[in-house]
Amino acid sequence: MTAPLPVAYRTQVVGAALLDDAERPTAFLAAQRAYPETLRGLWEFPGGKQEPDESCEQALVRECAEELGVAVELLAEVRGPHAQGWPLTDTAAMRVWTAVAAGGRPGPVVGEDHLAVRWLPLGDARGALDLPWIPADLPIVHALLDHLRT
């Protein structure tokens, strides 16, 4: 039995499932965390915290520019089980959107937030799922793969 979800999470996080193509995606981008030490080396969707003066969508565009050096166009939300998306902790939840680089496939940069970025082929779901994901992101990977199959 699962615990009831909180009425509202205090911290709203946003993440991008960056696709190589909007019409016929063949891969999505994963990023390997550099910090904190407890998450170092684990894989995640790039993104970050929403600031008080911005929408989730604005936050995600900003975060992709800051973390990856990529301007993005948001596509569809990968809906989570809560109005604020996917539970990460007792106080934080993440909303995730599929997105593409504005102007075509990016050459994302690896900034200080990540050790590496990697394009994961959609045709190799097992390979994507076998990466050591941040535990809270793994259900989102499953949902993304399901979302892209439909």
Side-chain angles (χ1 to χ4, degrees):
M1 180 170 173
T2 61
L5 294 170
V7 174
Y9 291 95
R10 289 191 298 274
T11 304
Q12 182 67 65
V13 178
V14 292
L18 194 61
L19 305 176
D20 62 339
D21 186 81
E23 299 298 319
R24 292 197 169 106
T26 62
F28 73 98
L29 190 79
Q32 190 178 37
R33 287 292 297 249
Y35 63 88
E37 194 59 38
T38 57
L39 300 177
R40 185 177 174 83
L42 298 180
W43 292 85
E44 69 173 357
F45 293 101
K49 293 178 186 168
Q50 176 187 8
E51 297 296 329
D53 62 340
E54 62 188 358
S55 69
C56 287
E57 294 87 347
Q58 291 168 328
L60 189 50
V61 168
R62 176 185 51 76
E63 286 286 348
C64 287
E66 289 175 3
E67 285 188 11
L68 302 172
V70 174
V72 295
E73 176 185 327
L74 302 184
L75 302 173
E77 186 172 358
V78 181
R79 297 226 177 254
H82 189 272
Q84 287 179 264
W86 299 87
L88 300 178
T89 66
D90 290 341
T91 61
M94 181 166 67
R95 291 178 67 189
V96 175
W97 277 264
T98 56
V100 292
R105 185 174 177 153
V109 297
V110 179
E112 61 188 47
D113 294 331
H114 298 111
L115 300 171
V117 293
R118 183 187 302 173
W119 287 101
L120 303 177
L122 292 171
D124 182 17
R126 180 73 340 209
L129 294 168
D130 283 346
L131 282 178
W133 288 90
I134 292 173
D137 281 21
L138 190 55
I140 307 169
V141 177
H142 284 279
L144 172 67
L145 295 172
D146 289 344
H147 174 82
L148 293 173
R149 277 189 216 118
T150 59

